[in-house]
Amino acid sequence: KDMVKHVPDAGSYAPVTVLVDERADGVHVSYDTMESYLMGYGSSEALAVARDLDTKITNLLRDCAS
């Protein structure tokens, strides 16, 4: 909701996408960052919120994977 205050379209990118892919060499986890989605809008405020969210999600994914 904080990103939407600065970039109304940000709500269309939620929920975040996490891809879990099992391959011959193991399980791979990918995450499409919110920062990458919002980069083109030019709002530093929205990007700051997106970076914070990305950090929280990647930390959670790391914790779950270990």
Side-chain angles (χ1 to χ4, degrees):
K1 76 177 183 184
D2 291 332
M3 286 180 289
V4 174
K5 291 177 189 174
H6 307 288
V7 176
D9 290 347
S12 65
Y13 299 112
V16 297
T17 301
V18 176
L19 174 64
V20 179
D21 183 28
E22 187 172 0
R23 304 178 203 161
D25 64 337
V27 175
H28 299 260
V29 178
S30 301
Y31 164 61
D32 293 334
T33 63
M34 288 302 296
E35 181 180 13
S36 66
Y37 288 130
L38 299 182
M39 192 69 72
Y41 290 95
S43 170
S44 59
E45 296 90 351
L47 287 175
V49 175
R51 282 187 201 107
D52 184 52
L53 176 63
D54 291 339
T55 299
K56 290 175 183 176
I57 291 172
T58 54
N59 287 339
L60 177 64
L61 291 172
R62 271 192 210 102
D63 290 347
C64 290
S66 58

